[in-house]
Amino acid sequence: METDCIKESLPVGTRLLHIGPHKTGTTAIQGALFAAKDTMPAHGVDFPAHSRHPMEAALAACARPAMMGDTAPTDKHWTRLLDAVRATGDRTSVISSEFFADAEDDETVARIVEQLGGERVHILITLRPLARIMPSQWQQYVQNGLRMGYDNWLEHMLRKAPYEQPNPSFWRRHRHDRLVERWTRAVGPERMTVVVVDDSDRDGLLRTFEALLGLPANLLRPVPDAANRSLTLAETEMLRKLNVEFRGNGLPDELYSKLVRNGAVMHMKNACSPTPQDVKITTPQWAIEAAGAIGAEMAGTIAATGVRVVGDTALLSAVPEAVAKVSGAPRIAPDVAAQALYGALAAVAAAPVRHTTPAKARTVHQTSSKELVRVLGHRCLKKLRRR
């Protein structure tokens, strides 16, 4: 079913809260909004967040933990965002974070809505087909320490009840009908807009935000962000195997955040662009069909809620053409591996290195490689903390 386009903007003074969920164009819209934050006020719209993505504030509001090894969010993060929202007064404002989709229960959702302005709050949810979300979400979980391979992960998410391991957040975010129902109970269907993202219309989501906010056409522009690109299969498998070693050696989570996710992986993404020869993560046919069936069910439930739907809900159940799986183990290019290694080394080098008294009991050659990795990890973390 294809719905009508937006014919009029939201009332002046609305506080538009975009809650994602993940992998539905959130980074693109956040980048565009942040880039236009100094231009939008002339058109009556404020972007009150102090950064492109107020992730810590959203995590604190939902009482969710930080990503592996990151600094834990506190109430101060949420309070700071609330103060900035209140400072916009009677003007229209917009906030975007996919981590608001992680709110688990009605009480949490109702509290967030009330603190942001109660009846002034309008919720925006963006949706894409599950078949397109699953590979992107899996590799994102790998970037947060997941050690499970893609096929095994799909088995757990789609075939092994209660479908919560190893990532219980997946269906909290991506059972989209329940997500819509949960937030509709807090604001009512008249203050909820669901946008089905059409991947064939690259700027369609930007135009939808402009229409909702009453902004001039083409004010929001795409902002290139290499750091947000998805990993190739080889890159993801390299990282997944590193996660196995990392956990097996008992290294601290903070080291993973600084050296792996924000060091090796971030530098690799920025320095290396995928080529047509790189193998992408492919979803098996059985999982694509299962995702399509769930999408059809979700589309029907969402339509029954009475919320405004923008876009073609048939896209949610579309079954893309299966891609033949490449045989053999994925191989990472030497330059990609070198950039990842350099990113980790650069993260270490950013902290001043102090000479320490060498151990007297054993030489390096007399120490097992496993223990060396553990000792090196703890020493790097100590230096990073000292910084």
Side-chain angles (χ1 to χ4, degrees):
M1 179 182 70
E2 189 165 359
T3 59
D4 295 333
C5 296
I6 296 171
K7 296 179 180 178
E8 59 182 35
S9 59
L10 297 171
V12 173
T14 294
R15 290 174 178 170
L16 179 62
L17 178 62
H18 175 216
I19 67 168
H22 294 66
K23 304 304 176 184
T24 61
T26 52
T27 300
I29 196 63
Q30 288 157 9
L33 289 169
F34 190 66
K37 66 183 179 63
D38 295 328
T39 307
M40 291 192 298
H43 304 282
V45 180
D46 291 332
F47 184 79
H50 296 87
S51 62
R52 177 190 64 80
H53 177 200
M55 179 175 67
E56 293 85 358
L59 288 171
C62 298
R64 303 302 303 165
M67 295 182 72
M68 179 180 171
D70 285 358
T71 302
T74 67
D75 288 339
K76 290 183 179 179
H77 292 105
W78 178 229
T79 301
R80 185 186 186 202
L81 179 60
L82 287 177
D83 289 343
V85 171
R86 292 177 186 130
T88 64
D90 295 331
R91 294 168 59 82
T92 299
S93 58
V94 54
I95 303 162
S96 175
S97 174
E98 56 269 38
F99 285 95
F100 283 112
D102 283 353
E104 292 189 77
D105 52 66
D106 288 1
E107 182 180 355
T108 300
V109 170
R111 174 179 52 77
I112 291 171
V113 170
E114 183 61 30
Q115 290 177 324
L116 282 173
E119 293 185 356
R120 293 178 60 181
V121 176
H122 189 99
I123 303 300
L124 174 61
I125 294 179
T126 45
L127 302 181
R128 293 177 72 231
L130 276 177
R132 296 191 179 277
I133 287 174
M134 291 188 302
S136 295
Q137 187 71 91
W138 171 72
Q139 59 90 29
Q140 193 66 53
Y141 282 130
V142 172
Q143 293 181 55
N144 197 38
L146 179 67
R147 293 164 284 173
M148 184 178 288
Y150 187 44
D151 288 350
N152 195 11
W153 183 81
L154 289 171
E155 287 279 347
H156 280 74
M157 291 295 101
L158 295 168
R159 285 178 167 175
K160 294 188 177 181
Y163 317 107
E164 293 179 349
Q165 297 301 324
N167 301 113
S169 64
F170 181 78
W171 288 117
R172 186 186 312 128
R173 299 167 178 174
H174 297 300
R175 186 70 208 202
H176 299 148
D177 51 351
R178 295 171 189 166
L179 178 67
V180 171
E181 289 176 328
R182 193 156 60 242
W183 285 83
T184 300
R185 285 194 290 270
V187 299
E190 67 282 355
R191 289 193 285 126
M192 168 78 74
T193 298
V194 173
V195 178
V196 180
V197 178
D198 185 350
D199 289 334
S200 67
D201 182 5
R202 299 189 63 179
D203 294 339
L205 184 56
L206 299 180
R207 306 290 81 82
T208 298
F209 267 79
E210 290 169 348
L212 283 170
L213 295 169
L215 295 171
N218 299 311
L219 178 69
L220 299 179
R221 306 300 301 168
V223 178
D225 185 5
N228 187 54
R229 74 165 176 85
S230 293
L231 300 179
T232 66
L233 178 59
E235 291 169 342
T236 310
E237 282 299 296
M238 178 187 72
L239 179 57
R240 187 177 69 84
K241 293 180 186 301
L242 174 60
N243 292 346
V244 173
E245 294 298 321
F246 191 94
R247 284 298 196 192
N249 283 281
L251 297 176
D253 289 353
E254 188 177 343
L255 193 66
Y256 187 91
S257 172
K258 293 182 181 295
L259 300 190
V260 180
R261 184 170 57 248
N262 295 308
V265 176
M266 187 64 69
H267 185 77
M268 180 178 68
K269 284 183 174 183
N270 282 312
C272 303
S273 299
T275 68
Q277 289 72 40
D278 286 315
V279 178
K280 295 181 179 180
I281 301 167
T282 57
T283 305
Q285 186 64 29
W286 72 264
I288 289 176
E289 293 175 356
I294 295 171
E297 180 184 345
M298 293 192 299
T301 304
I302 291 170
T305 64
V307 303
R308 173 167 56 177
V309 178
V310 178
D312 188 358
T313 56
L315 293 174
L316 299 179
S317 58
V319 178
E321 186 176 341
V323 178
K325 191 169 185 177
V326 177
S327 60
R331 299 294 180 184
I332 193 155
D335 59 332
V336 175
Q339 293 295 345
L341 178 58
Y342 174 80
L345 293 175
V348 175
V353 178
R354 300 182 183 180
H355 294 288
T356 57
T357 303
K360 297 179 180 179
R362 289 175 293 172
T363 67
V364 169
H365 299 289
Q366 294 171 320
T367 308
S368 70
S369 59
K370 194 171 196 177
E371 189 170 352
L372 279 174
V373 171
R374 185 183 297 112
V375 172
L376 176 62
H378 283 287
R379 285 184 180 178
C380 289
L381 180 59
K382 186 175 181 181
K383 291 169 185 173
L384 287 167
R385 285 174 172 167
R386 190 180 293 140
R387 180 191 177 203

